[in-house]
Amino acid sequence: MNFQWYPGHMTKAKRQMQEDIKLIDLVVEIVDARIPLSSRNPDIDELGKNKYRLILMNKADLADKKVTDQWSNFFKEKGYFVVSLDARSKNGMKSISDIIMEACKEKIERDLKRGIKNRPVRAMVVGIPNVGKSTFINSYAGKACAKTGNKPGVTKGKQWIRLNKNVELLDTPGILWPKFEDQMVGLRLALIGSIKDEILNTDELAIELIKLLKTSYPGVLAERYDIEEVEDNVQLLCEIARSRNCLSKGNELDYSKAAILLIDDFRSGKLGKLSLEFPPEA
Ligand code: G4P
């Protein structure tokens, strides 16, 4: 399958991000816990060099916990601070404030040595579309947080959300563009719903999902749809159509309907907590 998506407007977004990054101490990069590498754009490493770095593996409620923990170690070994979360719940938000402080410890100590007290750490959220940037900002900032802005030393028009006395967050996230020179990366992004379905062939997508699940999570499809995981993937999709009574007008099996059903079940977590990408073996 060929994914084509040329994000022309990203040049502007990138320029904006280069400007915004100058104002902050810490980059909070959000990735999708089900595909932590495929859902990040590695260009952020260049854009955010010399900044403290925190990776939030979001939608952890949909991912395989064991695999998420492996990814967490993978990123920690590379020097990032890492938290996995469900941005829709407000749980764990306090621990994020703490980890932001820990990530910026060096700067806070340096400020103190210079006699600068109470200068908040400034952070900015970045990530590709649909990973949960707005959800995170809303949950994290909550209603109680006052917006600050147009203060001396702050670029006019920039809005900062004061999270607590120690942390300020830029209220507009930086949008990164998905990068998929590798077709597998494109496929994973399509499966989690990060590429518009209209430009995809959902039948093929479902077949690819079946292949991935049969390899990484054998038995999951059999259990959910009460079918046999036969070797032929097209036949397997027909089995799902039969099991779920996906019929076309002429009462024939409609395997396109089954494809959409399968993809939706995966995306909404009905197939269970499943990851589609695994860290390289150490
Ligand atoms: P973005 O700013 O990065 O583009 O993403 P946004 O916050 O708009 O979130 C994209 C979708 O992901 C939203 O669903 C949101 O509810 C969902 N989402 C965000 N964080 C999490 C999470 O931790 N777990 C799960 N399961 N979902 C999450 P939507 O279908 O677009 O909207 P809606 O369902 O909220 O109406």
Side-chain angles (χ1 to χ4, degrees):
M1 207 183 307
N2 225 350
F3 300 100
Q4 291 196 352
W5 190 74
Y6 184 72
H9 58 287
M10 284 304 166
T11 317
K12 192 167 163 244
K14 187 172 177 177
R15 221 175 291 132
Q16 181 64 51
M17 207 182 308
Q18 274 163 336
E19 287 308 306
D20 288 344
I21 276 182
K22 288 182 194 154
L23 307 172
I24 56 149
D25 307 298
L26 171 86
V27 176
V28 178
E29 182 187 357
I30 304 195
V31 300
D32 189 302
R34 292 165 295 176
I35 56 166
L37 269 195
S38 295
S39 59
R40 74 187 296 254
N41 183 322
D43 290 1
I44 189 62
D45 287 333
E46 179 59 27
L47 282 165
K49 64 172 191 260
N50 306 325
K51 301 290 168 184
Y52 301 108
R53 302 291 300 278
L54 169 61
I55 292 185
L56 298 183
M57 286 198 282
N58 192 34
K59 307 200 186 183
D61 54 305
L62 298 173
D64 182 340
K65 170 137 189 350
K66 201 173 89 214
V67 181
T68 303
D69 288 345
Q70 289 167 358
W71 277 115
S72 187
N73 291 336
F74 171 88
F75 286 122
K76 280 180 189 163
E77 274 166 23
K78 297 201 174 327
Y80 300 95
F81 284 80
V82 188
V83 175
S84 62
L85 82 158
D86 169 357
R88 293 167 315 165
S89 90
K90 304 210 186 310
N91 303 337
M93 292 303 175
K94 161 116 185 18
S95 76
I96 290 176
S97 288
D98 291 347
I99 210 153
I100 289 180
M101 299 304 284
E102 197 187 330
C104 299
K105 206 165 101 198
E106 216 178 74
K107 173 203 137 53
I108 295 164
E109 280 168 4
R110 203 171 50 226
D111 278 357
L112 277 178
K113 270 192 201 137
R114 290 183 188 149
I116 306 168
K117 273 192 221 150
N118 304 330
R119 184 157 77 185
V121 165
R122 290 218 164 125
M124 173 188 181
V125 169
V126 305
I128 66 166
N130 211 39
V131 286
K133 297 180 292 300
S134 317
T135 310
F136 172 74
I137 292 176
N138 288 338
S139 295
Y140 195 17
K143 287 194 188 97
C145 296
K147 285 198 173 184
T148 64
N150 294 348
K151 288 190 302 194
V154 179
T155 311
K156 205 168 173 354
K158 288 271 167 251
Q159 290 282 320
W160 295 87
I161 305 169
R162 187 113 199 198
L163 296 176
N164 53 42
K165 68 181 193 331
N166 300 317
V167 185
E168 281 186 355
L169 193 68
L170 193 60
D171 81 336
T172 36
I175 302 172
L176 291 164
W177 52 106
K179 196 164 186 168
F180 40 92
E181 282 143 19
D182 174 351
Q183 288 294 298
M184 273 311 286
V185 173
L187 172 64
R188 293 187 194 107
L189 287 164
L191 286 171
I192 64 159
S194 274
I195 301 174
K196 280 203 185 80
D197 282 341
E198 296 88 85
I199 64 164
L200 298 168
N201 177 333
T202 35
D203 292 357
E204 279 185 51
L205 202 57
I207 296 291
E208 296 296 333
L209 178 60
I210 289 173
K211 268 192 222 163
L212 289 175
L213 293 181
K214 270 165 66 180
T215 312
S216 305
Y217 297 99
V220 158
L221 292 170
E223 190 176 329
R224 168 83 187 160
Y225 300 110
D226 196 16
I227 53 168
E228 246 185 75
E229 286 188 6
V230 290
E231 204 174 318
D232 184 316
N233 296 324
V234 175
Q235 196 193 330
L236 201 155
L237 190 55
C238 288
E239 295 295 328
I240 295 177
R242 190 166 311 152
S243 152
R244 287 300 145 113
N245 222 10
C246 299
L247 300 174
S248 61
K249 275 191 189 141
N251 255 359
E252 280 176 25
L253 281 184
D254 185 338
Y255 100 36
S256 293
K257 260 191 203 158
I260 292 169
L261 179 127
L262 171 65
I263 293 167
D264 283 350
D265 280 356
F266 166 72
R267 288 181 183 162
S268 60
K270 290 196 185 107
L271 294 178
K273 294 172 187 284
L274 306 174
S275 298
L276 290 184
E277 190 170 38
F278 304 85
E281 299 284 335

